[in-house]
Amino acid sequence: MDNNNLEQITFGGGCFWCVESCFNMLKGVQSAVSGYSGGHKDHPTYQEVCTGETGHAEVVQITYDPAIISYEQLMDVFFFLHDPTQLNRQGNDIGTQYRSVIYYKDNPEKAKAEEAIKTSQASGRWTGTYVTEVTQFDKFWPAEQYHQGYYNENPTQPYCSAVVGPKIQKFKKHFGELGMLNAE
C-alpha cells in the first residue's frame, strides 16, 4: 500500500462489531477502526452513546488505498453489510446510534456517496426506500480499545455467535468469490 495516497471514509451501518471486522479483511484497507461520529459530545463513551442521548452513531473509519480498492467498492461492501432501509436500527439493535449514515468530507465525496446510494438502491439488493443519511463529517472519536477487533477476540460471545458470525460468513463467501479479501 502507498501510505502517501491513503484516504479515509467514515460510515455507520448498525453495530460496529459487524462492520469493522469485515472491512479489515479487504485488500486495500489499511485499517478499520470502530468509533463514534455525528454527536454533540466530545469524547463520548460507549455507555453514553448507547443511551442515544449524545447523537452519535456507531461508525467505522476506514483508511484505504484507492489504487487497490475504490470508494465505489467500499460502498458496495457497506450496503452489503447492513440494511439501509431500516430507520435507526439494524435487526434487534434499535436506536439512532445504529442509523445508516455516510459522512463526507467535501462536495465531490458527497456526490459520490449520493451516487452510491442510487446505485445500490437500483440494484434491488434491498427492497424499500433507503434511509441512509449523507452528513458532513465533523469528528471521529475512536471507541474504547476493547471494541477494536471485538469479534476476533470474542467469537463465542452470544451476540457475536448469533449475529456477527453469520454476517461475516456471508460476507466472506461473497467477497472471497470476488477476490477482494486478504489471504488468511
Side-chain angles (χ1 to χ4, degrees):
M1 264 188 260
D2 183 356
N3 288 341
N4 294 326
N5 293 320
L6 295 179
E7 294 184 20
Q8 285 189 322
I9 184 171
T10 305
F11 44 62
C15 173
F16 49 35
W17 295 345
C18 299
V19 179
E20 176 246 353
S21 56
C22 291
F23 278 98
N24 273 318
M25 293 180 209
L26 292 169
K27 291 177 184 174
V29 171
Q30 183 186 58
S31 67
V33 178
S34 294
Y36 317 108
S37 284
H40 54 78
K41 182 182 187 307
D42 288 351
H43 307 285
T45 66
Y46 181 67
Q47 289 73 23
E48 291 169 330
V49 172
C50 284
T51 68
E53 294 177 11
T54 67
H56 291 88
E58 286 192 15
V59 299
V60 176
Q61 187 167 78
I62 298 162
T63 303
Y64 68 100
D65 185 340
I68 299 172
I69 189 166
S70 70
Y71 181 93
E72 291 76 16
Q73 288 172 306
L74 291 169
M75 285 290 106
D76 187 47
V77 173
F78 171 67
F79 288 118
F80 181 90
L81 291 175
H82 82 291
D83 182 345
T85 69
Q86 293 188 345
L87 182 63
N88 297 328
R89 72 178 298 161
Q90 285 298 302
N92 291 329
D93 294 332
I94 300 170
T96 58
Q97 66 270 28
Y98 300 114
R99 65 188 176 270
S100 176
V101 58
I102 302 168
Y103 292 97
Y104 65 90
K105 292 192 173 73
D106 55 29
N107 285 333
E109 194 171 271
K110 179 181 181 184
K112 287 180 8 181
E114 290 169 342
E115 187 60 33
I117 291 170
K118 289 178 190 170
T119 299
S120 183
Q121 198 158 0
S123 76
R125 180 180 289 155
W126 300 101
T127 56
T129 302
Y130 280 37
V131 294
T132 303
E133 296 176 13
V134 177
T135 303
Q136 175 75 49
F137 178 81
D138 183 25
K139 292 181 182 153
F140 171 78
W141 305 102
E144 295 81 351
Q145 188 56 43
Y146 73 92
H147 289 294
Q148 310 306 329
Y150 189 86
Y151 175 78
N152 293 338
E153 298 296 321
N154 303 281
T156 60
Q157 188 261 12
Y159 183 87
C160 288
S161 61
V163 177
V164 184
K167 187 177 282 198
I168 289 173
Q169 292 311 310
K170 182 178 167 186
F171 163 83
K172 286 170 84 172
K173 181 178 183 334
H174 181 77
F175 290 97
E177 290 172 358
L178 296 175
M180 292 177 62
L181 303 182
N182 291 314
E184 288 191 44

